[in-house]
Amino acid sequence: MHEQNNRTDPAGEPDGASVDVADELARASIDEVAGAARDPGDVGVIVGSQRVRIVLAGEIDIDLEHDLREAIGDAESTGLPIEVDAHHVTFIDSSGVSFLAELASRANPPVRVLRAPPSMKFLLTVTRLDELVELVDVDGGLD
């Protein structure tokens, strides 16, 4: 059951129209999404003396598939332990999860995922990838 609300004109007087609050909220949400700018994703690889870091930022989706595969190759070619800095990830889809699964299945020692946002942690838990990677909430820096 939806709440009904009477609209008022700018002067504060009821205009007599009954408005479904749920419909109004849905309309507002759609408008916000339609007007929201995308946060394009980015992938980078930083090589330290003791480990290599793949840095993810923005939307990690199918648009970055080539870059994600390239990052795996670059990171593995160093022969160093791999960590993924996910602090600036705003969205991750199945292609991003697939990237992490592939990376985790091939890495030894286990991949460390640094500062993953809650939505990403949830995906890692649901897909059980949290059993293959080490989730770390703090970044000790890259040496």
Side-chain angles (χ1 to χ4, degrees), residues 28-106:
S29 296
I30 291 168
D31 291 343
E32 288 172 12
V33 170
R38 282 194 45 159
D39 188 9
D42 195 20
V43 181
V45 177
I46 303 171
V47 180
S49 62
Q50 302 295 313
R51 58 186 173 265
V52 62
R53 179 178 291 187
I54 298 173
V55 181
L56 305 177
E59 294 184 6
I60 308 304
D61 57 18
I62 194 69
D63 292 341
L64 292 178
E65 187 170 16
H66 174 75
D67 295 334
L68 294 170
R69 301 291 165 227
E70 193 174 287
I72 289 175
D74 292 347
E76 287 180 335
S77 71
T78 67
L80 296 170
I82 300 171
E83 60 188 24
V84 175
D85 185 347
H87 180 68
H88 295 287
V89 171
T90 58
F91 172 82
I92 185 168
D93 72 1
S94 60
S95 59
V97 172
S98 174
F99 156 77
L100 290 170
E102 182 178 342
L103 191 60
S105 69
R106 295 165 47 163

Side-chain angles (χ1 to χ4, degrees), residues 21-32:
V21 174
D23 287 344
E24 198 167 286
L25 289 173
R27 204 170 8 299
S29 296
I30 291 168
D31 291 343
E32 288 172 12

Side-chain angles (χ1 to χ4, degrees), residues 5 98 131:
N5 194 9
S98 174
E131 297 173 8

